[in-house]
Amino acid sequence: MNNFIFLGPPGAGKGSLAVKVAEDYKIPHISTGDIFRANIKNQTPLGVKVKAIIDSGSLVSDDLTCELVKDRLSQPDCKNGYILDGFPRTIPQAEMFTKICDDVKVVNFEIKDEIVIRRLSTRRVCKACGANFNVLTLPPKVEGVCDKCGGELYQRDDDKQESILHRMDVYREQTEPLIKFYRDKGAITDLDASIETDVLLGKFKEIFKK
Ligand code: ADP
Ligand code: ZN
């Protein structure tokens, strides 16, 4: 079964690789961050509730997040596998997830702090479709405009310096313990995430045959 968890610090490139793997393996890319951001954009009750937390770089509550993920995984497109990007992010979330699925491959994105800070502070995101760009490494053809849909590019509030440092602390305290949690289960594969996304995809495909 191709059920994947992409685990790693913010800015490790989980989302960028997930987009490509999803296309290649024909499985959905489920990013809890993207789902929350879509709710914020549409000003749903959930979006209104989580906006301030997310902008500051803190985590949404485990209960809310787990409900959201359970609901998403019950959709028919998940039956042949999926990529979870940004979930689980805490031990209670991982414990909850074990109850839904105990056959998962965890990919651990390894990357240095300096690279993460550089990538996040130069990231730009499309307001309309969520596509990611980078002013240094992946600039759009026209400055400030999405190549894919023509939407406006912006900097996420949580990609501003203060929130970046806070997110890295949150990662270290709450998410990093998951590496041991899954290592003990024998479910982890480590990937060097400092390399370019297409090269990373090649490595991924060598390790995880379809
Ligand atoms: P990153 O670029 O840090 O990987 P994401 O897009 O995955 O960012 O998440 C953005 C924000 O959404 C997080 O900082 C957090 O506030 C919230 N969030 C996303 N996934 C979770 C989760 N599993 N549990 C709690 N909060 C989450
Ligand atoms: Zn776009």
Side-chain angles (χ1 to χ4, degrees), residues 164-201:
I164 291 177
L165 297 178
H166 180 52
R167 278 156 71 203
M168 292 172 70
D169 286 342
V170 169
Y171 171 77
R172 231 164 263 127
E173 281 164 25
Q174 306 207 49
T175 310
E176 211 168 46
L178 295 182
I179 298 176
K180 182 170 185 324
F181 178 92
Y182 284 114
R183 196 154 337 260
D184 290 346
K185 290 179 184 283
I188 285 234
T189 302
D190 298 310
L191 271 190
D192 170 7
S194 64
I195 57 179
E196 210 214 308
T197 311
D198 281 327
V199 184
L200 203 55
L201 176 67

Side-chain angles (χ1 to χ4, degrees), residues 10-11 14 32-34 36-37 53-54 57-60 65 86-87 89 93 123 156 158 167:
K14 304 183 294 293
T32 41
D34 284 352
F36 285 133
R37 278 186 293 279
I53 303 173
I54 288 187
S58 294
L59 294 186
V60 176
T65 308
F87 180 92
R89 238 179 172 92
Q93 291 180 14
R123 171 160 72 180
R156 281 167 44 176
D158 62 346
R167 278 156 71 203

Side-chain angles (χ1 to χ4, degrees), residues 111-192:
I111 190 149
K112 287 203 192 94
D113 286 1
E114 304 97 83
I115 306 185
V116 158
I117 295 174
R118 190 165 60 228
R119 281 187 185 173
L120 291 175
S121 55
T122 51
R123 171 160 72 180
R124 298 292 181 271
V125 182
C126 173
K127 256 187 191 161
C129 76
N132 278 235
F133 296 86
N134 187 291
V135 294
L136 296 180
T137 57
L138 188 66
K141 292 196 188 86
V142 179
E143 198 189 317
V145 180
C146 176
D147 287 352
K148 304 209 163 81
C149 78
E152 184 192 336
L153 302 186
Y154 78 112
Q155 181 173 42
R156 281 167 44 176
D157 275 326
D158 62 346
D159 279 348
K160 305 206 164 130
Q161 194 69 16
E162 251 184 43
S163 293
I164 291 177
L165 297 178
H166 180 52
R167 278 156 71 203
M168 292 172 70
D169 286 342
V170 169
Y171 171 77
R172 231 164 263 127
E173 281 164 25
Q174 306 207 49
T175 310
E176 211 168 46
L178 295 182
I179 298 176
K180 182 170 185 324
F181 178 92
Y182 284 114
R183 196 154 337 260
D184 290 346
K185 290 179 184 283
I188 285 234
T189 302
D190 298 310
L191 271 190
D192 170 7

Side-chain angles (χ1 to χ4, degrees), residues 26 44 51 83 89-90 103 125 134 167 175 200 206:
K26 305 204 170 19
T44 67
K51 181 175 185 335
I83 307 159
R89 238 179 172 92
T90 64
D103 176 19
V125 182
N134 187 291
R167 278 156 71 203
T175 310
L200 203 55
E206 272 170 32

